[in-house]
Amino acid sequence: MDRKLPASRQIEGDGRTRIAGAFEQAFRQKSAALMPYFTLGYPDNELSLSIIEAIAPYSDLIELGIPFSDPIADGPTIQRSTQQALEGGTTPKICLELLAELRQRGIKTPVLLLGYYNSILSYGEKKFARDASLAGADGLIVPDLPPEEANVLQTAITDEGLSYIPFLAPTSSRERIGLVAKNPSGFIYMVSVIGITGARATLSDELPSFINELRRSSSIPIAVGFGISTPQQAARVGSFADGVIVGSALINAVNGAEDKIRAAVTFVRSLNQALTI
């Protein structure tokens, strides 16, 4: 049975409120929040919209990637999807237009945009923050911008009522953990492995203990991404984290399917069901 999600899309308020509300509602349902990742513009602009619209009913939040020519945090699967989107002409401006179209279609699921810093800097940090808010974003993730250097962009984002989402990894220093913990945001993005994104057969056995230690420093929800590829792995991570992020495995499912929308829905539903206790 699918976990019931409609109430999570009726939360009012700014982006930070909507993100917090999605985690709270998942917690009330005794589940980790499910956050699929998908690249905007892949395989093309219209089909990406249809896929995202179709998986929204089974997602607590959605992470949407802005294609970039040098996605250093991403593995081969997401790199290929972003390259195809770039070749199709998908730009940051078009990505915001696609998000606005999703909102016009009635999608109320909280949306996090993932973009690399150079493309945001070229767009203009304050202008990007304003336009992202107007398009319907709830938060921003920038994997190549260290939290120590994110003050200007973070201020621009939070001034628009959006969440700026920081990264931590099991290798993060105590100083960085302290910096992230004292700056409340929608959630902490916990990288499960050392390296780039991509589906993996196994996950670190040390991850639960690191998250338990992090909880002593912060009450912010913790969502785990990078490397989660199966419903079984999602269920395991969901047993000790507040959120589960799955990207490469979803894109792999879409890439190899004739009916890409159906493949996306089938896979995301399987994750949804695995997180149901």
Side-chain angles (χ1 to χ4, degrees):
M1 178 183 294
D2 297 323
R3 184 161 50 89
K4 187 178 179 181
L5 297 177
S8 70
R9 290 190 229 86
Q10 305 302 320
I11 301 164
E12 300 299 332
D14 63 14
R16 287 169 291 194
T17 302
R18 289 189 289 270
I19 291 170
F23 279 97
E24 289 168 2
Q25 289 187 357
F27 178 79
R28 286 197 294 270
Q29 294 179 359
K30 299 181 179 180
S31 172
L34 175 60
M35 189 184 322
Y37 165 95
F38 202 77
T39 303
L40 285 162
Y42 174 78
D44 56 55
N45 289 340
E46 184 55 41
L47 191 49
S48 72
L49 284 178
S50 297
I51 289 169
I52 296 161
E53 185 178 14
I55 65 174
Y58 311 102
S59 309
D60 295 282
L61 309 99
I62 299 176
E63 181 184 353
L64 298 180
I66 298 172
F68 182 60
S69 58
D70 189 21
I72 59 173
D74 293 312
T77 296
I78 294 179
Q79 285 186 21
R80 285 192 294 268
S81 71
T82 59
Q83 184 61 35
Q84 185 168 334
L86 288 171
E87 290 172 356
T90 305
T91 64
K93 183 176 183 296
I94 288 175
C95 287
L96 297 181
E97 292 171 355
L98 293 174
L99 174 55
E101 172 62 23
L102 284 169
R103 295 307 192 197
Q104 289 174 5
R105 295 185 184 188
I107 302 303
K108 296 182 179 179
T109 310
V111 168
L112 288 301
L113 292 173
L114 184 145
Y116 285 85
Y117 184 58
N118 192 55
S119 60
I120 295 169
L121 184 63
S122 298
Y123 194 105
E125 290 167 298
K126 291 185 178 180
K127 185 174 188 299
F128 181 86
R130 183 193 66 221
D131 290 354
S133 178
L134 291 173
D138 296 287
L140 178 66
I141 303 167
V142 186
D144 61 341
L145 184 62
E148 296 86 350
E149 302 174 16
N151 287 342
V152 173
L153 180 57
Q154 183 173 353
T155 298
I157 288 294
T158 55
D159 283 350
E160 294 292 341
L162 309 182
S163 284
Y164 185 84
I165 308 301
F167 278 90
L168 285 177
T171 55
S172 294
S173 66
R174 291 190 178 275
E175 291 75 16
R176 177 165 290 184
I177 292 172
L179 177 63
V180 167
K182 74 178 183 180
N183 286 302
S185 59
F187 63 93
I188 294 171
Y189 194 129
M190 174 60 58
V191 176
S192 69
V193 295
I194 300 173
I196 55 177
T197 63
R200 288 171 170 80
T202 60
L203 297 172
S204 171
D205 292 331
E206 299 176 1
L207 193 59
S209 61
F210 181 78
I211 288 179
N212 286 335
E213 181 179 349
L214 179 57
R215 291 194 196 282
R216 300 190 186 102
S217 304
S218 175
S219 59
I220 304 169
I222 301 167
V224 175
F226 285 47
I228 302 170
S229 59
T230 67
Q232 293 75 23
Q233 287 178 340
R236 178 184 170 231
V237 172
S239 68
F240 56 78
D242 303 299
V244 177
I245 304 168
V246 182
S248 296
L250 171 57
I251 292 176
N252 279 334
V254 169
N255 185 50
E258 182 175 349
D259 188 336
K260 298 185 182 303
I261 297 173
R262 180 185 293 273
V265 170
T266 298
F267 181 68
V268 173
R269 284 189 67 181
S270 72
L271 298 173
N272 177 300
Q273 292 167 351
L275 292 174
T276 303
I277 298 176

